[in-house]
Amino acid sequence: MSVSLKIIKLLKLMSNITNKIDFANLPMAYEEHKVEIDNAIKGVLQNANYIMGEPVKEFEEKLQRFTGAKYAISCSSGTDALLLALMAMDIQPGDEVLTTPFTFIATAETIAFLKAKPVFVDIEESTYNIDPSKIEEKITARTKAIIPVSIFGQVPDMDFINEIAIRHDLFVIEDAAQSFGATYKGKRSCNLSTFACTSFFPAKPLGCFGDGGAVFTSEPEFATKMKSLRLHGQMERYHHKYIGMGGRLDTLQAAILNVKLDSYEQDISNRQRVAQKYTSFLKEAVIIPTVNPESTSVWAQYSIRVKNRTETVEKLKRNGIPTAIHYPKALHQQECFEYLDYKEGDFPVTEKVTREILSLPMNPYLTTKEIEFITNQLKTAIQ
Ligand SMILES: *Cc1c(COP(=O)(O)O)cnc(C)c1O
């Protein structure tokens, strides 16, 4: 153990005494692999291969091996990954894309950014994922794609969704920004549909030290097109076939991710350990998250539901326990989507969940003692 790691562990012990809990514990994620990360960064600085350097290629190969996806194309963010996929399938103004209103804004923002229309489908109360049984009634002649979001780290029923898509000739893009590493029927998230997008934003289960993302596809033509779109639509230098974007992943971030991906399986099992502890301590007290038997979650969030959320958050905060709300407002209730003309009551399950959902601290480093402290405080707070 390095000296700095010892100091961090000591600080952590002391912070336990004062009951301070870190929500995502990003400092620890650096400390844990400090030497390798520092060397990886130094290597990039010494080679000055800042754009599309060797570590980017290495990272993409690792992504393919890890997910099983045929093609992995790194890019500048999860948002840009969604844009690349939508642009690759040639989404046009006025096209409709089905998705969930219970997600981060980027999922629907990118659809609207391309002047297509986000069409929302309510969620399941058990997993908070899009309700597959409600998809078909929203399909019209203008529908081009479905974007299921693997919310909080768990993949929705992709077989069911892919089957609908085949029947209606639609594309499926898995928004896997929160589920990188999760499994569904033995296969990895990002390898379950024609397109998948993920994010390496620092607070995601696999995070870099800035913005980053990747888009995955099973189709070689789409892979070629997205590689080009990521580079201003060029096929060779200064010869531009498409209107594209500057959407590359920095070599620095790729070098950091190469280190972090090597130990990511360990992070996943630790997140699963934390989730299991939470569940065992909380199952009688609050509505706990559920994982389908054919799936494993990477626990981007451990989100419970409580009735008196505002007071609960306040009480936990007073005891040094940070919480977060994913998400306080559904997308159909956002000002930027007023033009879609949805109204309150259109998505009753989503609306109910947004009023009750509450995310507890989640990171691979939480100890059983800390989890006990958090859950005991929570049980008192909800009374
Ligand atoms: C974080 C996130 C994104 C966007 O990823 P960025 O890398 O922040 O652009 C998209 N969709 C979902 C569901 C997310 O959680």
Side-chain angles (χ1 to χ4, degrees):
M1 202 186 323
S2 69
V3 173
S4 54
L5 193 55
K6 274 186 193 149
I7 291 170
I8 289 282
K9 288 240 162 99
L10 197 70
L11 284 172
K12 215 165 121 78
L13 254 171
M14 285 162 58
S15 77
N16 275 357
I17 295 161
T18 57
N19 297 329
K20 265 233 154 56
I21 307 269
D22 195 307
F23 192 85
N25 212 346
L26 300 184
M28 193 64 178
Y30 169 53
E31 270 322 307
E32 198 188 11
H33 304 288
K34 185 174 175 6
V35 175
E36 298 125 284
I37 289 173
D38 286 355
N39 285 338
I41 292 173
K42 217 181 273 169
V44 178
L45 299 188
Q46 280 162 349
N47 291 318
N49 53 350
Y50 304 116
I51 303 292
M52 298 305 276
E54 189 56 34
V56 175
K57 207 166 144 238
E58 186 189 331
F59 180 54
E60 291 178 342
E61 284 162 7
K62 278 190 187 180
L63 285 177
Q64 281 160 205
R65 279 200 300 276
F66 186 88
T67 58
K70 257 210 181 107
Y71 303 95
I73 297 140
S74 63
C75 63
S76 38
S77 68
T79 306
D80 287 345
L82 287 162
L83 270 179
L84 287 168
L86 289 165
M87 286 161 79
M89 65 178 69
D90 207 20
I91 285 290
Q92 293 297 314
D95 285 348
E96 294 175 9
V97 180
L98 306 184
T99 191
T100 156
F102 188 67
T103 177
F104 180 61
I105 187 75
T107 314
E109 180 187 30
T110 44
I111 301 167
F113 185 79
L114 295 171
K115 303 270 183 274
K117 183 181 175 189
V119 175
F120 297 124
V121 177
D122 209 356
I123 57 170
E124 296 176 328
E125 196 165 343
S126 53
T127 63
Y128 312 130
N129 276 324
I130 193 167
D131 186 339
S133 72
K134 292 183 184 152
I135 290 177
E136 217 153 5
E137 65 202 52
K138 296 287 180 85
I139 295 174
T140 73
R142 301 231 56 173
T143 310
K144 284 288 154 58
I146 311 170
I147 310 186
V149 177
S150 300
I151 204 79
F152 301 157
Q154 175 176 208
V155 175
D157 189 352
M158 289 300 276
D159 280 357
F160 196 108
I161 295 168
N162 281 326
E163 198 215 305
I164 297 172
I166 289 166
R167 230 176 314 126
H168 295 271
D169 200 19
L170 309 174
F171 289 111
V172 176
I173 309 176
E174 184 202 358
D175 182 341
Q178 303 184 8
S179 63
F180 183 78
T183 62
Y184 167 81
K185 298 186 180 172
K187 283 174 82 180
R188 291 267 197 204
S189 172
C190 299
N191 183 29
L192 301 166
S193 46
T194 308
F195 294 94
C197 301
T198 199
S199 165
F200 306 115
F201 184 80
K204 307 285 174 171
L206 178 65
C208 59
F209 295 172
D211 278 307
V215 58
F216 302 79
T217 183
S218 51
E219 302 299 323
E221 319 84 73
F222 289 137
T224 308
K225 188 171 178 185
M226 290 191 291
K227 276 183 193 161
S228 166
L229 289 169
R230 170 182 69 172
L231 262 171
H232 302 288
Q234 74 178 27
M235 298 304 277
E236 52 183 303
R237 198 160 207 186
Y238 304 133
H239 293 264
H240 304 271
K241 177 167 175 168
Y242 310 106
I243 306 287
M245 63 163 96
R248 297 156 299 220
L249 179 71
D250 289 346
T251 307
L252 266 173
Q253 300 300 345
I256 291 160
L257 283 162
N258 278 329
V259 174
K260 291 193 73 182
L261 184 52
D262 284 344
S263 57
Y264 184 52
E265 299 270 14
Q266 193 56 47
D267 290 345
I268 295 175
S269 40
N270 273 315
R271 299 180 87 92
Q272 289 169 344
R273 169 188 60 80
V274 171
Q276 269 162 18
K277 284 273 178 259
Y278 269 137
T279 294
S280 69
F281 292 143
L282 287 175
K283 59 178 184 282
E284 314 289 333
V286 296
I287 301 176
I288 49 161
T290 57
V291 179
N292 289 329
E294 73 273 20
S295 303
T296 61
S297 175
V298 291
W299 300 101
Q301 305 299 340
Y302 188 94
S303 306
I304 57 161
R305 276 161 58 199
V306 292
K307 293 271 184 236
N308 50 347
R309 185 172 63 190
T310 312
E311 305 86 76
T312 306
V313 167
E314 217 21 73
K315 284 182 192 162
L316 289 176
K317 195 173 160 193
R318 276 206 297 276
N319 289 293
I321 300 167
T323 55
I325 297 172
H326 306 98
Y327 299 89
K329 230 184 198 186
L331 295 195
H332 69 287
Q333 298 166 320
Q334 299 289 348
E335 190 177 344
C336 64
F337 285 136
E338 264 169 20
Y339 73 95
L340 293 173
D341 274 338
Y342 286 110
K343 55 185 188 316
E344 182 138 5
D346 280 346
F347 304 100
V349 182
T350 299
E351 289 166 25
K352 178 175 167 194
V353 171
T354 56
R355 285 192 295 267
E356 300 176 354
I357 201 86
L358 181 63
S359 300
L360 301 179
M362 171 48 82
N363 61 70
Y365 314 105
L366 283 170
T367 63
T368 303
K369 260 206 150 52
E370 288 172 318
I371 299 165
E372 250 180 323
F373 173 71
I374 294 165
T375 52
N376 283 336
Q377 292 296 325
L378 176 66
K379 285 176 194 168
T380 315
I382 55 173
Q383 268 154 26

